[in-house]
Amino acid sequence: MTTPASRSNIILQPGDALLLVDVQKDFLSGGALAVPRGDEVVPVLNHCLNKFQKRSLPTYASRDWHPPNHCSFTEQGGPWPAHCVQTTEGAQFSDALVLPESAEIISKAWMPDQETYSAFQETNLNEKLKTGNIRRLFIGGLATDYCVLNSVKDAIQLGYTVYLLEDAIRAVNVHPEDGCKAVEEMTRMGARLCPTSSLCPALAHSNALLTDLYQLTMMQGYFDQKMNQTAVFEFFVRTLPANRGFLVAAGLEQVLEYLETLHFTETELDWLRQCGHLRRDFVDSLEGFRFTGDVHAMPEGTVFFGNEPILRITAPLPQAQLVETRIINLLQFQILIASKAARMVLAAPGKQLIDFGLRRAHGAEAGLLAARASYLAGFSGTATVQAGALLGIPLYGTMAHSFIQAYDREDLAFEQFARSHPKNIILLLDTYDINRAARHAVALGKRLMKKGIRILGVRLDSGDLTVHARSVRNILDEGGFQEIRILVSGNLDEYALATFTKEKAPVDGFGIGTCLSTSEDAPSLECAYKLQEYGGRPCRKRSEQKATWPGRKQVYRTINTEGVMQEDRVTLDDETREGTPLIQPCMQGNQRLAPPEPLTEIRKRIAQQLQGLPKPMKSLQTEFTYPVKISRALEDLAEAVDRRIDLPT
Amino acid sequence: MTTPASRSNIILQPGDALLLVDVQKDFLSGGALAVPRGDEVVPVLNHCLNKFQKRSLPTYASRDWHPPNHCSFTEQGGPWPAHCVQTTEGAQFSDALVLPESAEIISKAWMPDQETYSAFQETNLNEKLKTGNIRRLFIGGLATDYCVLNSVKDAIQLGYTVYLLEDAIRAVNVHPEDGCKAVEEMTRMGARLCPTSSLCPALAHSNALLTDLYQLTMMQGYFDQKMNQTAVFEFFVRTLPANRGFLVAAGLEQVLEYLETLHFTETELDWLRQCGHLRRDFVDSLEGFRFTGDVHAMPEGTVFFGNEPILRITAPLPQAQLVETRIINLLQFQILIASKAARMVLAAPGKQLIDFGLRRAHGAEAGLLAARASYLAGFSGTATVQAGALLGIPLYGTMAHSFIQAYDREDLAFEQFARSHPKNIILLLDTYDINRAARHAVALGKRLMKKGIRILGVRLDSGDLTVHARSVRNILDEGGFQEIRILVSGNLDEYALATFTKEKAPVDGFGIGTCLSTSEDAPSLECAYKLQEYGGRPCRKRSEQKATWPGRKQVYRTINTEGVMQEDRVTLDDETREGTPLIQPCMQGNQRLAPPEPLTEIRKRIAQQLQGLPKPMKSLQTEFTYPVKISRALEDLAEAVDRRIDLPT
């Protein structure tokens, strides 16, 4: 099975390089060994080249550079016709390929008696990449099932993160399945499929300065003391907000992206040098800074509770310290929204829920991530266009009051809208008088019917929505439009949804804005990211009301035969307990252990988890407290740590 | 008076061009007419050239291209020695200047009998710029007081927005003040001073897709109907949240930046074409889309109330529609934070307040803008490093509990921190036991004193902060350290600050996090951006509980002789009333009418406004309702609009 491509964009950064494999005339149409549809990769690769150039990132172009008597040629008993013979025209790169002057040429398979396909074999490519501090390699070219395949395999084995440019490769297909099998093999080994359109060349600022100043002042202290041993930090929520019976893990993907790409730009280093808070020698040491650590976490979509670690960072102390602020910033917000949205999903079973929250979200990123987190929790989609473009979340939306007002005449506005969007007609009824508007909709619906056009729905945005929905339903039904759906919006939260459900209001879908995107009744979590171990020595903080459990931890969950959650137990990481361990490894030495999880997979997980909640937790009540126990070994460790710290100093 | 440079970065975008004025050998050291320190502009301009190239933006380089008998030469009775004679070496550009191949050369002053300084005179520069859709011109070169001055003046008169690269110009200074006077004249005419370091070459995505889908579906409707007449939208808050007696306007600068730079990138248009919601011909029409309208607004820092418009957009309907979502998104959040922060400033007079809120803010942008809005309201600064780097806000921060824990021994951690940051020692006391930590601080303080090093402060972050502050104060005082300041942090809001003030707790400063950056007790506003007029016809929405006042409006505020606010009156824009009109023009045809206001000026305005609040509004109570009246003419207009809409349709 091939790994599905991530929908998110990949931001090119220092440490990235492009490898073009054998885009040579002999492999293109009219060549001695033309790859079927091989010419198609050229414009796609030109587009990539342009993106890499914009970021001043290096390009390597490999070429078959065979001697005339190469062993792979049929004349010598090999499988191929003579091709790419040194200095012949067939060995030249495609004339249409716009290679920058700075591109480095890697000549391969130049020894007469040795057939090699990989750009790494008998070449100095690996050496060049290492010298250039290259960590991620984007590979495209010809042919998928020979030179691309073998170059990718070598690159992975040499420790590079490999992105296979899926639309910039073509296969020879001696057997028709060869190309597909090669892609399968590469992804199984860890190559990530990536369409060239998802490469983003530009980054104004890195996220490295999205941190508190004290992280940097402490790092200067660590630098001076050469305190570079392994630190273990864990992220957890101390206690749940009053109106939440459970929380839903979300935001891991953004944390991994952040850690993968973390670096200081030159501009940022220049700024830090003169900011007056840090010494120059320390700032100099941040050049080439990377996160090199490990991440363990609960998968996104896991239901969790207070005092349970949901993410663990294991890294040299300065790295693990710097990332605190942004990790909390990313995790808290998506947990808030996924948890709030999950309550809404529970309160409106079977109804369509749509995120309308961008305008009242706290800034752009909040709007975007609220669309993501609510979609994970079971929302159908969002109105936020950028969430569609960047994250692939389904978009919804038709008209606002201003559209009606601009026409003055409501019936005219409806008619014109129908003309512009005949396949997506949803009419807003409450600009002036809802019932009159409903009658306009019926009249329009009858006229449209003759043209075979249907009104999909109507939307109500003010007043007593249940009352209005009933009267609009009547008007529509009497007009013969039982199939027109009624959507409502306007300061709705999970309690309002529960009331609609209880009153059996004739509403088919809900647009949810402010209450969702600000998590209005609980806009923050008592969450923390705390040092639990340093240099192999467990530690804990003992501040009043804020003491933490020391050491690396695991959470085991037991589930009964009906699939219902029974109990969680927080243990030391190396304890083995009944149940399922929730914390799983997901990044090692800054390498992801799996490609980004598709949003649809996380949606399925949340749906399953909500299904498995104990019954009282499926309501909006929060009296029921799910049992979370602390293992004896963990309690013992806490005591031992306290005894150590209490030694006279 | 020269206009102070903005601290914010300027993001280069399509429509920008760089104009290098006369960086020729004769104006550099050793040349016939060397400008003092003229050589210094070359490396600075190379840096700029690089940034423009990265964004593929055009560069124009002007040159004096005199005939040998030019009238400006002393031989012909002119003021200058012969210089920049066509084809001579002196007329060449500096060898050190790295002009890209694509740079266009503009030869000027080439007529024997005419002395011209401007790059626009007798050249085709204007034509080239218009053809290239250039709107913003970044100008540097030689010499400030002649050719730069005259080129800038012409550019402004031709309607370009001109940024003067303040560190990339040098003056001849025939009279010592000439250069300064020229800069003064240019800024008075509207040129903006801009250091080259503030130019940002890269932008991954524009903000155009930070909008709701319905804005685009409605725009397609407007496109089909050619509804392109002028629309007037106003932003206002319907009613204040329960815990707020007033609000503070903030976020205008970000709105203006957004409108100035609004455009769709090619990638975004490609995405829209295939998203399935819009027609191709409509999306094609968005190429070259720009905001061309006007903005009127209350200056940032103005205190305001419910039903008062604080921002008005006047623009062709589709433009004014598209920007709704992001304008609300930007204004609501900063108003929330500035208003919350103002309450904190009122509750803790004379104390230092610092924003610690990034980690619990809703995403990165929220963290950054919370730092800005709280600084405007009177906070001393922030812990958020990016807010320092991008906005120039003062930074604060020293150590976290993890620093102490990593050392295990608290006294050792304190000592090492002091060694790394001898000028900024603030010690965190509550990792294990606060009083013991205070004694460690005293002991360290005594050792440091011998080296002439002082501890600036201590911080407490948990437990009963008043009780701990008193006991720590005693320990420090008894140790002889009356000057060490005590800072506290940990879930503080304005009520907690008021309690500290009332109890006269010995606290000198406060770190404020979550309650500030999420505006925790009021995380959203009942705010709206509504169409008030279209094609010269006032309109209003009449939805239940959501009716709006029609037409373009103004707010007049009366203030008594002691400077205390008395009453506001919402009127039609063309009414003249007693008091100060609060809504002011700030952008016309997408051109700002003044450079970005320095944060320090807005701080002063807020301080004055808080000073002028009626006395009951200076407490945290919100019983007192400030009088906001609606003018009779406005009420009459609303009735007239209703009568029009009620006409049978």
Short mmCIF file of all heavy atoms in Angstrom, two decimals, chain A residues 162-207:
data_model
loop_
_atom_site.label_atom_id
_atom_site.label_comp_id
_atom_site.label_asym_id
_atom_site.label_seq_id
_atom_site.Cartn_x
_atom_site.Cartn_y
_atom_site.Cartn_z
N VAL A 162 13.74 11.63 2.72
CA VAL A 162 13.55 11.69 1.27
C VAL A 162 12.10 12.01 0.92
O VAL A 162 11.17 11.34 1.40
CB VAL A 162 13.97 10.37 0.61
CG1 VAL A 162 13.62 10.39 -0.88
CG2 VAL A 162 15.46 10.16 0.79
N TYR A 163 11.92 13.04 0.12
CA TYR A 163 10.61 13.34 -0.46
C TYR A 163 10.66 12.96 -1.93
O TYR A 163 11.51 13.46 -2.67
CB TYR A 163 10.30 14.84 -0.31
CG TYR A 163 10.01 15.23 1.11
CD1 TYR A 163 11.05 15.52 1.99
CD2 TYR A 163 8.70 15.31 1.58
CE1 TYR A 163 10.79 15.89 3.30
CE2 TYR A 163 8.42 15.67 2.89
CZ TYR A 163 9.47 15.96 3.75
OH TYR A 163 9.22 16.31 5.05
N LEU A 164 9.77 12.07 -2.32
CA LEU A 164 9.71 11.64 -3.71
C LEU A 164 8.70 12.54 -4.43
O LEU A 164 7.52 12.58 -4.07
CB LEU A 164 9.25 10.17 -3.75
CG LEU A 164 9.21 9.51 -5.13
CD1 LEU A 164 10.58 9.50 -5.78
CD2 LEU A 164 8.67 8.09 -5.00
N LEU A 165 9.17 13.27 -5.42
CA LEU A 165 8.31 14.22 -6.14
C LEU A 165 7.40 13.42 -7.06
O LEU A 165 7.75 13.12 -8.21
CB LEU A 165 9.18 15.22 -6.89
CG LEU A 165 10.08 16.04 -5.95
CD1 LEU A 165 11.16 16.77 -6.74
CD2 LEU A 165 9.26 17.00 -5.12
N GLU A 166 6.25 13.06 -6.59
CA GLU A 166 5.42 12.02 -7.21
C GLU A 166 4.97 12.38 -8.62
O GLU A 166 4.71 11.50 -9.42
CB GLU A 166 4.21 11.72 -6.32
CG GLU A 166 3.42 12.94 -5.94
CD GLU A 166 2.14 12.57 -5.18
OE1 GLU A 166 1.33 11.82 -5.72
OE2 GLU A 166 1.99 13.05 -4.05
N ASP A 167 4.86 13.68 -8.92
CA ASP A 167 4.44 14.06 -10.26
C ASP A 167 5.64 14.38 -11.17
O ASP A 167 5.47 14.84 -12.29
CB ASP A 167 3.47 15.25 -10.22
CG ASP A 167 4.02 16.40 -9.39
OD1 ASP A 167 5.00 16.19 -8.63
OD2 ASP A 167 3.49 17.52 -9.49
N ALA A 168 6.83 14.11 -10.69
CA ALA A 168 8.03 14.43 -11.47
C ALA A 168 8.87 13.19 -11.70
O ALA A 168 10.10 13.26 -11.79
CB ALA A 168 8.84 15.52 -10.76
N ILE A 169 8.23 12.03 -11.77
CA ILE A 169 8.93 10.78 -12.07
C ILE A 169 8.12 9.99 -13.10
O ILE A 169 6.90 10.14 -13.18
CB ILE A 169 9.13 9.90 -10.79
CG1 ILE A 169 7.78 9.72 -10.06
CG2 ILE A 169 10.16 10.51 -9.86
CD1 ILE A 169 7.84 8.78 -8.87
N ARG A 170 8.80 9.19 -13.91
CA ARG A 170 8.14 8.30 -14.86
C ARG A 170 8.92 7.00 -14.92
O ARG A 170 10.15 7.00 -14.74
CB ARG A 170 8.07 8.92 -16.26
CG ARG A 170 7.16 10.12 -16.43
CD ARG A 170 5.68 9.81 -16.22
NE ARG A 170 4.85 11.00 -16.40
CZ ARG A 170 4.60 11.93 -15.47
NH1 ARG A 170 5.13 11.82 -14.27
NH2 ARG A 170 3.83 12.96 -15.76
N ALA A 171 8.20 5.92 -15.19
CA ALA A 171 8.81 4.59 -15.12
C ALA A 171 9.03 4.01 -16.53
O ALA A 171 8.32 4.33 -17.47
CB ALA A 171 7.92 3.65 -14.32
N VAL A 172 10.03 3.12 -16.65
CA VAL A 172 10.25 2.38 -17.89
C VAL A 172 9.15 1.35 -18.08
O VAL A 172 8.62 1.15 -19.17
CB VAL A 172 11.63 1.68 -17.87
CG1 VAL A 172 11.82 0.83 -19.12
CG2 VAL A 172 12.75 2.71 -17.74
N ASN A 173 8.77 0.70 -16.97
CA ASN A 173 7.72 -0.32 -17.00
C ASN A 173 7.98 -1.44 -18.00
O ASN A 173 7.16 -1.73 -18.86
CB ASN A 173 6.34 0.32 -17.28
CG ASN A 173 5.80 1.06 -16.07
OD1 ASN A 173 6.20 0.74 -14.94
ND2 ASN A 173 4.91 2.02 -16.29
N VAL A 174 9.13 -2.09 -17.86
CA VAL A 174 9.40 -3.31 -18.64
C VAL A 174 8.27 -4.29 -18.36
O VAL A 174 7.70 -4.89 -19.26
CB VAL A 174 10.77 -3.91 -18.24
CG1 VAL A 174 10.93 -5.29 -18.85
CG2 VAL A 174 11.89 -2.98 -18.67
N HIS A 175 7.91 -4.42 -17.09
CA HIS A 175 6.64 -5.05 -16.72
C HIS A 175 5.72 -3.92 -16.30
O HIS A 175 6.15 -3.01 -15.60
CB HIS A 175 6.85 -6.03 -15.55
CG HIS A 175 7.95 -6.99 -15.82
ND1 HIS A 175 7.83 -8.03 -16.72
CD2 HIS A 175 9.22 -7.03 -15.35
CE1 HIS A 175 8.99 -8.69 -16.77
NE2 HIS A 175 9.85 -8.10 -15.95
N PRO A 176 4.45 -4.00 -16.72
CA PRO A 176 3.57 -2.83 -16.54
C PRO A 176 3.48 -2.32 -15.10
O PRO A 176 3.21 -1.15 -14.87
CB PRO A 176 2.20 -3.34 -17.02
CG PRO A 176 2.46 -4.58 -17.79
CD PRO A 176 3.79 -5.12 -17.39
N GLU A 177 3.73 -3.20 -14.11
CA GLU A 177 3.57 -2.79 -12.72
C GLU A 177 4.85 -2.23 -12.12
O GLU A 177 4.87 -1.84 -10.95
CB GLU A 177 3.14 -4.00 -11.87
CG GLU A 177 1.79 -4.59 -12.27
CD GLU A 177 0.67 -3.60 -12.02
OE1 GLU A 177 0.60 -3.06 -10.89
OE2 GLU A 177 -0.12 -3.33 -12.96
N ASP A 178 5.94 -2.21 -12.87
CA ASP A 178 7.24 -1.89 -12.27
C ASP A 178 7.25 -0.53 -11.57
O ASP A 178 7.79 -0.38 -10.47
CB ASP A 178 8.33 -1.90 -13.36
CG ASP A 178 8.71 -3.33 -13.76
OD1 ASP A 178 8.18 -4.27 -13.13
OD2 ASP A 178 9.52 -3.49 -14.69
N GLY A 179 6.65 0.48 -12.21
CA GLY A 179 6.66 1.82 -11.62
C GLY A 179 5.93 1.84 -10.30
O GLY A 179 6.44 2.34 -9.30
N CYS A 180 4.72 1.28 -10.29
CA CYS A 180 3.93 1.26 -9.06
C CYS A 180 4.65 0.51 -7.96
O CYS A 180 4.69 0.94 -6.81
CB CYS A 180 2.58 0.59 -9.30
SG CYS A 180 1.53 1.56 -10.36
N LYS A 181 5.23 -0.63 -8.33
CA LYS A 181 5.94 -1.41 -7.31
C LYS A 181 7.12 -0.63 -6.75
O LYS A 181 7.42 -0.70 -5.55
CB LYS A 181 6.45 -2.72 -7.93
CG LYS A 181 5.37 -3.78 -8.04
CD LYS A 181 5.99 -5.10 -8.48
CE LYS A 181 4.91 -6.13 -8.76
NZ LYS A 181 5.44 -7.25 -9.58
N ALA A 182 7.80 0.10 -7.61
CA ALA A 182 8.96 0.88 -7.15
C ALA A 182 8.51 1.94 -6.15
O ALA A 182 9.12 2.14 -5.10
CB ALA A 182 9.67 1.52 -8.33
N VAL A 183 7.40 2.63 -6.47
CA VAL A 183 6.91 3.67 -5.56
C VAL A 183 6.52 3.05 -4.23
O VAL A 183 6.83 3.56 -3.15
CB VAL A 183 5.71 4.42 -6.19
CG1 VAL A 183 5.07 5.36 -5.18
CG2 VAL A 183 6.17 5.21 -7.42
N GLU A 184 5.87 1.90 -4.32
CA GLU A 184 5.48 1.19 -3.11
C GLU A 184 6.70 0.85 -2.26
O GLU A 184 6.73 1.07 -1.05
CB GLU A 184 4.76 -0.10 -3.52
CG GLU A 184 3.68 -0.52 -2.58
CD GLU A 184 2.95 -1.72 -3.16
OE1 GLU A 184 2.30 -1.58 -4.22
OE2 GLU A 184 3.09 -2.80 -2.58
N GLU A 185 7.72 0.34 -2.91
CA GLU A 185 8.94 -0.05 -2.19
C GLU A 185 9.58 1.17 -1.52
O GLU A 185 10.00 1.12 -0.37
CB GLU A 185 9.92 -0.72 -3.16
CG GLU A 185 11.15 -1.27 -2.45
CD GLU A 185 12.09 -2.00 -3.39
OE1 GLU A 185 11.73 -2.22 -4.57
OE2 GLU A 185 13.21 -2.34 -2.93
N MET A 186 9.63 2.27 -2.26
CA MET A 186 10.28 3.47 -1.71
C MET A 186 9.50 4.00 -0.51
O MET A 186 10.08 4.37 0.51
CB MET A 186 10.38 4.54 -2.80
CG MET A 186 11.40 4.18 -3.88
SD MET A 186 11.67 5.51 -5.10
CE MET A 186 10.40 5.18 -6.31
N THR A 187 8.17 4.04 -0.61
CA THR A 187 7.40 4.58 0.52
C THR A 187 7.48 3.62 1.70
O THR A 187 7.53 4.05 2.84
CB THR A 187 5.93 4.84 0.14
OG1 THR A 187 5.38 3.67 -0.45
CG2 THR A 187 5.82 5.98 -0.84
N ARG A 188 7.51 2.32 1.41
CA ARG A 188 7.64 1.36 2.52
C ARG A 188 8.95 1.61 3.26
O ARG A 188 9.03 1.49 4.48
CB ARG A 188 7.59 -0.06 1.97
CG ARG A 188 7.11 -1.08 2.99
CD ARG A 188 6.80 -2.42 2.36
NE ARG A 188 7.82 -2.84 1.41
CZ ARG A 188 7.56 -3.23 0.15
NH1 ARG A 188 6.32 -3.27 -0.27
NH2 ARG A 188 8.55 -3.59 -0.65
N MET A 189 9.99 1.96 2.54
CA MET A 189 11.27 2.23 3.19
C MET A 189 11.30 3.58 3.91
O MET A 189 12.24 3.88 4.64
CB MET A 189 12.38 2.21 2.15
CG MET A 189 12.68 0.82 1.65
SD MET A 189 14.13 0.84 0.56
CE MET A 189 15.44 1.31 1.70
N GLY A 190 10.29 4.41 3.67
CA GLY A 190 10.24 5.68 4.41
C GLY A 190 10.24 6.92 3.53
O GLY A 190 10.20 8.04 4.05
N ALA A 191 10.30 6.76 2.21
CA ALA A 191 10.22 7.95 1.36
C ALA A 191 8.82 8.54 1.48
O ALA A 191 7.85 7.80 1.64
CB ALA A 191 10.49 7.58 -0.09
N ARG A 192 8.72 9.86 1.44
CA ARG A 192 7.42 10.50 1.53
C ARG A 192 7.01 10.97 0.15
O ARG A 192 7.78 11.65 -0.52
CB ARG A 192 7.49 11.70 2.44
CG ARG A 192 7.99 11.29 3.80
CD ARG A 192 8.14 12.48 4.69
NE ARG A 192 8.88 12.05 5.88
CZ ARG A 192 9.18 12.83 6.88
NH1 ARG A 192 8.82 14.10 6.82
NH2 ARG A 192 9.84 12.37 7.90
N LEU A 193 5.79 10.65 -0.24
CA LEU A 193 5.28 11.13 -1.51
C LEU A 193 4.91 12.60 -1.36
O LEU A 193 4.34 13.00 -0.36
CB LEU A 193 4.04 10.35 -1.90
CG LEU A 193 4.31 8.90 -2.31
CD1 LEU A 193 3.03 8.27 -2.81
CD2 LEU A 193 5.37 8.85 -3.40
N CYS A 194 5.24 13.37 -2.34
CA CYS A 194 5.00 14.80 -2.22
C CYS A 194 4.82 15.38 -3.62
O CYS A 194 5.67 15.20 -4.49
CB CYS A 194 6.21 15.36 -1.47
SG CYS A 194 6.82 16.92 -1.95
N PRO A 195 3.65 15.99 -3.88
CA PRO A 195 3.47 16.63 -5.19
C PRO A 195 4.29 17.91 -5.23
O PRO A 195 4.43 18.60 -4.21
CB PRO A 195 1.97 16.94 -5.23
CG PRO A 195 1.53 17.02 -3.81
CD PRO A 195 2.50 16.21 -2.99
N THR A 196 4.83 18.23 -6.38
CA THR A 196 5.71 19.41 -6.45
C THR A 196 4.95 20.68 -6.08
O THR A 196 5.53 21.63 -5.58
CB THR A 196 6.31 19.59 -7.85
OG1 THR A 196 5.24 19.57 -8.79
CG2 THR A 196 7.25 18.46 -8.17
N SER A 197 3.62 20.67 -6.30
CA SER A 197 2.86 21.88 -5.98
C SER A 197 2.87 22.18 -4.49
O SER A 197 2.59 23.30 -4.08
CB SER A 197 1.42 21.72 -6.45
OG SER A 197 0.84 20.63 -5.76
N SER A 198 3.17 21.19 -3.66
CA SER A 198 3.12 21.45 -2.22
C SER A 198 4.41 22.07 -1.69
O SER A 198 4.50 22.38 -0.51
CB SER A 198 2.78 20.17 -1.47
OG SER A 198 3.89 19.31 -1.48
N LEU A 199 5.40 22.23 -2.55
CA LEU A 199 6.65 22.85 -2.07
C LEU A 199 6.47 24.36 -1.99
O LEU A 199 6.06 24.99 -2.94
CB LEU A 199 7.81 22.52 -3.02
CG LEU A 199 8.09 21.03 -3.23
CD1 LEU A 199 9.27 20.86 -4.18
CD2 LEU A 199 8.35 20.33 -1.92
N CYS A 200 6.80 24.91 -0.86
CA CYS A 200 6.67 26.36 -0.65
C CYS A 200 8.06 26.95 -0.57
O CYS A 200 8.82 26.61 0.32
CB CYS A 200 6.02 26.64 0.69
SG CYS A 200 4.29 26.76 0.57
N PRO A 201 8.41 27.85 -1.47
CA PRO A 201 9.78 28.33 -1.46
C PRO A 201 10.06 29.39 -0.40
O PRO A 201 11.18 29.63 -0.06
CB PRO A 201 9.95 28.93 -2.85
CG PRO A 201 8.58 29.33 -3.25
CD PRO A 201 7.62 28.42 -2.57
N ALA A 202 9.04 30.02 0.12
CA ALA A 202 9.31 31.26 0.83
C ALA A 202 8.97 31.17 2.31
O ALA A 202 8.01 30.55 2.70
CB ALA A 202 8.49 32.37 0.21
N LEU A 203 9.76 31.79 3.11
CA LEU A 203 9.53 31.83 4.54
C LEU A 203 10.11 33.14 5.04
O LEU A 203 11.31 33.33 5.04
CB LEU A 203 10.22 30.64 5.21
CG LEU A 203 9.97 30.44 6.68
CD1 LEU A 203 8.52 30.07 6.94
CD2 LEU A 203 10.88 29.35 7.21
N ALA A 204 9.24 34.05 5.44
CA ALA A 204 9.72 35.36 5.86
C ALA A 204 10.50 35.26 7.15
O ALA A 204 11.57 35.82 7.29
CB ALA A 204 8.55 36.32 6.03
N HIS A 205 9.94 34.53 8.09
CA HIS A 205 10.62 34.35 9.36
C HIS A 205 10.49 32.91 9.76
O HIS A 205 9.51 32.27 9.44
CB HIS A 205 9.95 35.21 10.44
CG HIS A 205 10.08 36.66 10.17
ND1 HIS A 205 11.21 37.36 10.46
CD2 HIS A 205 9.24 37.52 9.59
CE1 HIS A 205 11.05 38.61 10.07
NE2 HIS A 205 9.86 38.74 9.54
N SER A 206 11.47 32.40 10.44
CA SER A 206 11.31 31.07 11.00
C SER A 206 10.44 31.23 12.24
O SER A 206 10.06 32.32 12.62
CB SER A 206 12.66 30.49 11.39
OG SER A 206 13.01 30.92 12.69
N ASN A 207 10.15 30.13 12.89
CA ASN A 207 9.37 30.22 14.13
C ASN A 207 10.26 30.22 15.36
O ASN A 207 9.77 30.11 16.47
CB ASN A 207 8.39 29.05 14.19
CG ASN A 207 7.23 29.26 13.24
OD1 ASN A 207 6.80 30.40 13.05
ND2 ASN A 207 6.72 28.20 12.67
#
